[in-house]
Amino acid sequence: MIALLRHMRYVLSENPVTLLAFALFAVLVLAAVLGPSLTPHDPLATDSTRALQPPSATYWFGTDQIGRDVFSRVLVATRLDLAIAMAAVVIAFVFGALGGAAAGYFGGWTERVISRLVDTVMAFPLFVLAMGIVASMGNTVGNIVLATGIINFPIYARVARAEANIRRNAGFIEAARLSGNGEARILLMHIVPNILPIMAVQMSLTMGYAILNAAGLSFIGLGVRPPTPEWGIMVAEGAAFIVSGEWWVALFPGLALMLAVFCFNLLGDGFRDILDPRKRT
Amino acid sequence: MKRRNFLKTTAAASAAIAAPAIRSADAQSRAETILVVVESGPNSMDIHGVGTTFRSYGACWNLNDRLLTFGRKTLSDGTLSYDYSKIEPELAEDYNVAADGMSVTFKLKKKAKFHDGTPVTAKDVKWSLDRAVSVGGFPTFQLKAGSLEKPEQFVVVDDHTFRVDFLRKDKLTLPDLAVPVPVILHSELYKKHATASDPWAMEWAKSNVVTTGAYRLEKWTPGQETIFARNDDWVGGPLPQAKRIIMREVPGAGNRRALMERGDADVSLDMPPKDAAEIKAGGKYKIVGVPVENFFRYVGMVVTMKPFDNPKVRLAVAHAVPYEQMFEAAVYKRGNPMWGGAGKPTTTDWPQPFPYKTDLAYAKKLLAEAGYADGFETTISIDMGEATVSEPEAVLLQQSLAQIGIKTTIEKIPGANFRKAMLEKNRPLHLASFGGWLNFPDYFYFWSYHGQNAVFNTMNYKNPALDKLVDEARFEADPAKYAELMKGFVGISMDDVPRAPLYQLYLDVGMQKNISGYTYWFHRQLDFRQLVKG
Amino acid sequence: MLRFILKRLAAALPTVFGVLVVTFVMARALPGDPAAYFAGPAATREAIEQIRAKLGLDKSVPEQFGIYLRDLAQGEFGKSLSTGQSVGRELVTRLPASLELVLGALLLSMAIAIPLGVLAATRPGSWIDHTARVVTTAGVSLPAFFTGLVLIYVFYYLLGWAPAPMGRLDAFASAPPGLTGFYVIDALIAGEGETFISAVSQLILPIVALAIFTLAPLARMTRAAMLEVLASDFIRTARASGLPPSMVTYRYAFRNALLPVITTLGMVFSFLLGGAVLVEKVFAWPGIGAFAIEALIASDYAPIQGFVLTMALLYVALNLVIDVLYGVIDPRVGLEA
């Protein structure tokens, strides 16, 4: 553990970019937790007399078509966007890790069925699959999470399967088997915990992808319901105002979206460096 | 690669190289072409087809001729409009209503030819009208609205004489022959493509159109562009100026505006109200906006669902709608207000303001009287297809209703599903629009308030007293009596409040400053034939 | 070789069937009612039922699926309700548009990302390495539809450098005589200079929007693969035997790092096909993605099914090509695996 921490410090000092990512992450988490209590204006309050005002000292990011404060909305949306991505990734992670590990560990029919399932999902154009799921089940937060989870599931299942496959005949598994553990218990207590670190890297990378995916769904109108603030919807709505010169309506939520995804991608890279055994020398 | 294959390939390639000389020769200059940008284009070239969209009506309006058409007039602001009171012959030379008023006889234009050169005869006219009343669906419905119901009504007298027998005296019969539906088709050609299971050649007609219209279909790529070329032998009216019309589909409103501002497009349909308002106020191109006749946008309440079954609740909602705010922030004042009217209809103007206005204190009082002092929860349903307008409207309505204790969630329904949702009549509170082609209030009420319960009666509203007045007005020839009947049914709808009308929107069309001749038509589509460039 | 390909194709059959079933069920679960939509504004309930029967939507779902499979076996994809056209023909004309976009983006991305990855790997930890990482990661963090909007605003609206975002060609140019359906190639073959320029200039912005999105995985994989190869024994031997460093890097190391890069390319390609959906919408690009979105919104079953099936077949073909390429590049990888 101490070795890991020391290695972490080494990687961070070697890699200023990862440090930046951690700082960004802290800001995002703060915004998600405290955001709603920090807003200078009510993010839902409309006022047609102050519609489409450019950024100013009062309205830092300007106001939108019906006079809502863009800054407050961007800030408040952090929680929802992160929550959607997090929930989707957790779903993909749990099902992917269990399914993939079982496939890799048991082999045979289990592997065949799960691999087919993974292949089938992969053969879909993933974004269109997500669109289809949300369109046919209705655009609620739950369904957006589910759709995003499903399209991320194959990545986890593949990684978990490969890792479990390598370990199924390893010494410590043999030992567990000889001491009378059941197969299911071995899978849950020995295989899954062992592949968690590798999956964690995936989690951070797919968080970014999940945020983008949710935003894309919003962009074509399959996002959360108005007036709930969400970055993707705000970009989509703001798109109509770019040409008429009200660039702030789309730009700021777009930037927030980009920063969040950027942060998770860099973090994923950073985690990989930290966990990469070849670097740990 | 085998030698033989190689030879084959080179042969094909050299054949292709020979082609460009021919192709560049027919490249036409920009000056004679009008480039129109739209959000989405036609989906069929057959106005009698299943699922034909509004843009197809537009295409068919220009590609086809009808026996009759309407004249034109100049509105007070200088804009050109069709004239409902002037019915003029189009493919007919002239027309005469019989002395007993029970039939009309048309003389066809002798020089009239289809695009392939075949002369038009009365047989073509009969076949085309038979088709319209026989295929079912929208065309049959539309003709029925003018008492045109059976093939037996259409009689070939001789090659160039044609008669329509009336089932009853109906003020809508002649105008109904001038709407986009009763087109004259090349019957011999269509019959060649008919099959036993498809006697009217509906399949072939989806993408083929050979008629007499002012424009020919030069090229059609569904979902991308439609190219219309002028028919120089057109006899339906004065030869149009534009030799070629290109209609390009550009889904993004921002992109369409950019195309217009940079001068790459000549005409822009489907303008969001915000763009129209801003460009009207001083832009690089011009906006022509005409209030859409026989039309308004409204907040509908399903009267069979709790708590909207209580008229007081409906009246309360009608007084909690933030009319001014919606008018300013959602449609940028591109319309005429339909709120703040007198208590009862005093004129026969239509549409006219309803007697509701934003008054939260009064609304709260009404709610308390209805037993909902603490408010209630409900859903506002909107059409995602018109989200640029409906979403801000819904959010403003939501905010305002919250102030009298009504908590709402907003349901966005994709365009395709919206009609189904309205048909189910279970969306308690919704934002929708309706407009009728034939400009009579009774026509509007028949579709949207009458107990026959058409799709557009989205409120599931039924009142026998109103139905009776609407039915009587339908065949009332005396203007004074008609006015009384009209004031009667409009008054009932004001008292019963199934709808809170918002505004009569403008039909806004953007065009470069060198484009003139634009004419407003009741079908709200672009008529290329009057456009002039330069 | 042929046996290997056939075997792989046979193995892909259940996957494709699975895709067919899922898509079919999903399309039927869409809330829209095509019959109500297409019955037109003045429809009565009876009229809608009439149209439902006409469209064959009154039959049970398994029955409809059976009919669908039978039609499919005869190469019939069905008809789009909203455009009235045969879906098969739509796909054939639209697929080249999408592929032109995706392949263009892939080429551009390779041209930038692979040299960048090699450069980063030869100088790990340097400022070049860090910059490359930050820039490519920033690229993959941008939603492609947002990049597209910004590109249009800046390069078309403000600067006027790019042509109007109106599809594959300038409004007044006509499509080159089709051999491949790729306008750029067709125009070259036909020797139409103007059409070629028009097609290329229309392609630039959407390609850039897509390519920005794919730099990161390619650059990252190139870097990692190069690092691994550069640390291996045979490179050390090559260096020790005094070969010039550039020759070691490009002739020996890069060739050996190609394998994982190609796998990534395959992944990126199928990812791009999906990502192009939104970019097509932004640029009014007449590809199959834009077609699919429209169809989904209109609950238009046939195009959705045709689109997903096409994509699934492409995916299967792509994986096959990658496996074959593997065998060609590294003969040690058996084709039996």
Side-chain angles (χ1 to χ4, degrees), chain C residues 1 4-5 255-256 258-259 262 319-336:
Chain C
M1 182 66 135
F4 166 76
I5 292 178
R255 240 187 109 168
N256 279 285
L258 261 180
L259 222 51
I262 283 178
N319 279 315
L320 190 65
V321 169
I322 289 173
D323 286 349
V324 171
L325 267 184
Y326 250 69
V328 173
I329 291 177
D330 188 350
R332 282 171 305 168
V333 180
L335 284 183
E336 300 310 318

Side-chain angles (χ1 to χ4, degrees), chain C residues 17 21 48-49 75 89 120 141 159 163 167 181 214 222 238 258 266 304 321 335:
Chain C
F17 187 75
V21 174
I48 291 170
E49 287 314 313
R89 207 171 61 208
S141 308
L159 300 174
T214 54
T222 311
L258 261 180
I304 303 177
V321 169
L335 284 183

Side-chain angles (χ1 to χ4, degrees), chain C residues 18-69:
Chain C
V19 168
L20 280 181
V21 174
V22 173
T23 315
F24 196 85
V25 173
M26 196 174 78
R28 261 58 188 181
L30 288 174
D33 183 351
Y37 186 59
F38 293 108
T44 55
R45 278 169 203 281
E46 299 82 72
I48 291 170
E49 287 314 313
Q50 244 177 22
I51 283 167
R52 197 187 310 284
K54 219 177 204 169
L55 300 174
L57 296 174
D58 53 342
K59 299 192 174 73
S60 71
V61 172
E63 209 173 333
Q64 290 184 44
F65 188 61
I67 295 172
Y68 172 57
L69 284 186

Side-chain angles (χ1 to χ4, degrees), chain B residues 17 20 23 30 43 51 141 203 206 220 222 224 246 248 251 255 259 261-262 264 416-417 419-420 423 455-456, chain C residues 31-33 37-38 41-45 48 79 82-83 85 156-157 164 166 169 174-175 189 192 282 286 297-298:
Chain B
I17 289 168
R23 279 168 18 84
R30 244 214 100 146
N43 69 340
F141 241 83
E203 223 20 77
K206 263 184 194 167
W220 180 39
Q224 298 174 42
I246 300 179
R248 269 270 172 128
N255 285 355
L259 287 163
E261 292 203 354
R262 295 198 53 86
D264 286 330
N417 310 351
R419 186 163 294 150
K420 183 192 174 206
L423 197 71
V455 189
F456 299 111
Chain C
D33 183 351
Y37 186 59
F38 293 108
T44 55
R45 278 169 203 281
I48 291 170
K79 272 202 162 63
S82 44
T83 66
Q85 303 295 303
Y156 169 65
Y157 183 70
M166 272 198 297
L169 285 175
S174 45
I189 293 175
E192 295 180 20
V282 171
I297 297 297

Side-chain angles (χ1 to χ4, degrees), chain A residues 28 32 73-88 141 144-145 148 207-208 210-216 218 224 228-234 253 256-257 260-261 264:
Chain A
L28 277 176
R73 290 177 69 74
V74 168
L75 190 60
V76 167
T78 315
R79 184 184 286 181
L80 180 65
D81 273 274
L82 292 194
I84 289 179
M86 189 82 81
V141 172
I144 294 167
V145 167
T148 312
M207 268 295 278
I211 295 176
L212 282 182
N213 186 68
S218 298
V224 296
T228 316
E230 194 274 331
W231 294 332
I233 289 189
M234 294 174 74
L257 190 62
V261 181
F264 283 110

Side-chain angles (χ1 to χ4, degrees), chain B residues 265-334:
Chain B
D266 295 311
V267 178
S268 172
L269 307 179
D270 307 311
M271 301 269 305
K274 175 171 185 288
D275 288 354
E278 283 173 5
I279 289 150
K280 183 98 187 164
K284 294 180 181 149
Y285 52 102
K286 62 182 178 183
I287 298 288
V288 181
V290 178
V292 179
E293 284 175 350
N294 213 5
F295 170 98
F296 61 67
R297 199 165 163 71
Y298 62 92
V299 176
M301 292 162 269
V302 177
V303 300
T304 46
M305 290 178 82
K306 269 196 174 314
F308 297 105
D309 55 341
N310 186 333
K312 282 203 169 151
V313 172
R314 302 201 295 266
L315 196 60
V317 170
H319 282 87
V321 175
Y323 297 100
E324 288 281 354
Q325 284 209 33
M326 284 161 100
F327 191 49
E328 276 170 24
V331 301
Y332 295 83
K333 301 190 179 179
R334 298 301 295 161

